[in-house]
Amino acid sequence: MSAEGAARGSAGAAAGGDLGGAETGRPAAVLCGLGSWLPPVEVPNEQLCDRLGVTAAWIEQRIGVRSRRRAASGTATVAMAVEAGARALKSQGHARVDAVLLATVTSDHLGLAGAPEVAAELGLTGAAAFDVSAACAGFLHGLSAAAGYLAAGTFERVLVIGADTMSALLDPDDPGTAPIFGDGAGAAVLRAGDAAEPGALGPFVLGSDGGRRHLIQADGGGALDRYRCTGGAPLPYLRMDGREVFKQALGRMSTAVQESAARAGWPLAEVDRFALHQADARISGALARSLALPEHKWLSNIEQVGNTCGASVPLLLDHANAAGALRPGHRTVLAAFGAGLAWAGTSTVWPRLASGA
């Protein structure tokens, strides 16, 4: 931690946190619980090399991934979301929330939201529950929706989960996608509170560009398939234009990072940690260089888990919190970019959170 960060952490412990220009008394969503879960099946690069015709070193150098997790047969998005959600509820200290939001693009059943099933499995039958679909930016969009409900007084506590079984969308013979993605889930509990508290989420930056949806998409499996009468239905595999996605991710997340910090009243140089969607290690590195910021401020776990889509940001936060890379008082900016295209960003002064493990 920088000297400035340490000083802010001490001040936060004594005075309730440093939220820059936050207005005391303004209603806000406050982070009060955190948890995550990864499937036990680990797939190192070496297991993919022969089929893809590449080396383990090539995968690591190009993407920054050494291994990823895969959901076992019979286990998918809802099961992972339940595990992560249970840990987040344990972290907050009790098992009740008023609503469950599930950010995912890999629903267990076509046409059915997974959030109600997750809520039931967690003993929350009767709670409001619905899915959020914004791909890799879904968790942050879910946080934004939850923050709105909390500010309006609709709910007192909301569980937001990001979970994706990306292996269900991958062509095992495609070197452009198969090595990148992993399966997993992460979750956070938000409660109604004050904008001056540690853990209060700052203003959100949200955006989309559907005109570039073709850059990341799976053609098969959707409602349009029933109208495809010639040539057979397309396979429901994810396809991605890596070069253009890199450019879009770099530009959109740069904007989200800068605007999130500015809306919080923080100069970029005074932000202690950046928690960005783990899309590709090269993107984070290029973003750090383009903003002239030290790379040690950029949290990372892509090496061990790959790109976990909607689970990426909450997994990163939980891992960093458990490892001590995120400490109370750290000024933290969150940002994500993904298919749609969709992007999002926000900020918080990191609170003291119990482990949900």
Side-chain angles (χ1 to χ4, degrees):
M1 184 191 301
S2 66
E4 293 83 1
R8 283 196 296 271
S10 299
D18 170 19
L19 282 172
E23 180 184 345
T24 302
R26 179 171 60 82
V30 179
L31 181 63
C32 64
L34 199 61
S36 64
W37 192 79
L38 289 168
V41 178
E42 185 174 357
V43 180
N45 290 344
E46 287 76 10
Q47 290 187 20
L48 305 176
C49 293
D50 288 345
R51 184 163 190 165
L52 295 175
V54 298
T55 66
W58 181 88
I59 296 173
E60 184 176 354
Q61 291 166 7
R62 185 175 179 82
I63 306 166
V65 180
R66 286 190 175 183
S67 65
R68 72 287 293 144
R69 301 297 181 95
R70 293 282 188 261
S73 177
T75 301
T77 301
V78 165
M80 294 191 296
V82 169
E83 293 286 354
R87 286 160 172 76
L89 293 174
K90 180 180 178 181
S91 172
Q92 76 157 345
H94 59 88
R96 299 303 303 178
V97 293
D98 305 304
V100 177
L101 278 59
L102 174 61
T104 186
V105 290
T106 57
S107 298
D108 285 5
H109 305 286
L110 186 64
L112 291 179
E117 186 178 353
V118 173
E121 290 289 334
L122 291 172
L124 299 168
T125 298
F130 60 89
D131 287 4
V132 176
S133 182
C136 302
F139 178 74
L140 288 183
H141 278 265
L143 292 184
S144 176
Y149 285 121
L150 293 169
T154 306
F155 305 127
E156 286 296 317
R157 288 177 184 258
V158 180
L159 173 62
V160 182
I161 306 171
D164 274 304
T165 313
M166 293 304 293
S167 57
L169 300 181
L170 299 180
D171 179 350
D173 296 316
D174 179 12
T177 57
I180 297 175
F181 294 93
D183 302 338
V189 179
L190 301 180
R191 62 169 174 81
D194 188 276
E197 293 184 64
L201 298 180
F204 282 84
V205 175
L206 305 172
S208 72
D209 182 0
R212 290 186 169 89
R213 64 189 180 279
H214 61 281
L215 296 180
I216 321 172
Q217 68 178 26
D219 288 329
L224 278 176
D225 270 0
R226 64 194 179 103
Y227 299 114
R228 300 180 192 272
C229 301
T230 59
L235 292 173
Y237 288 144
L238 183 72
R239 298 300 183 192
M240 182 169 63
D241 184 334
R243 186 183 300 274
E244 286 302 314
V245 168
F246 183 95
K247 292 178 182 177
Q248 289 293 318
L250 186 60
R252 301 302 189 182
M253 282 204 287
S254 176
T255 298
V257 164
Q258 293 179 82
E259 289 189 5
S260 295
R263 293 184 188 187
W266 303 339
L268 271 182
E270 294 183 9
V271 175
D272 297 299
R273 294 292 184 268
F274 296 89
L276 272 60
H277 164 55
Q278 300 292 282
D280 182 319
R282 294 176 303 161
I283 293 175
S284 296
L287 188 52
R289 291 189 295 274
S290 70
L291 296 175
L293 296 167
E295 288 197 40
H296 76 267
K297 291 187 174 185
W298 300 75
L299 301 173
S300 176
N301 66 348
I302 192 171
E303 182 178 315
Q304 295 83 28
V305 303
N307 180 339
T308 54
C309 197
S312 178
V313 171
L315 270 170
L316 178 64
L317 293 175
D318 192 42
H319 290 176
N321 184 66
L326 269 174
R327 301 178 186 175
H330 269 157
R331 287 181 169 183
T332 306
V333 167
L334 289 61
F337 166 90
L341 302 175
W343 56 90
T346 190
S347 61
T348 189
V349 170
W350 197 251
R352 190 173 302 279
L353 292 175
S355 170

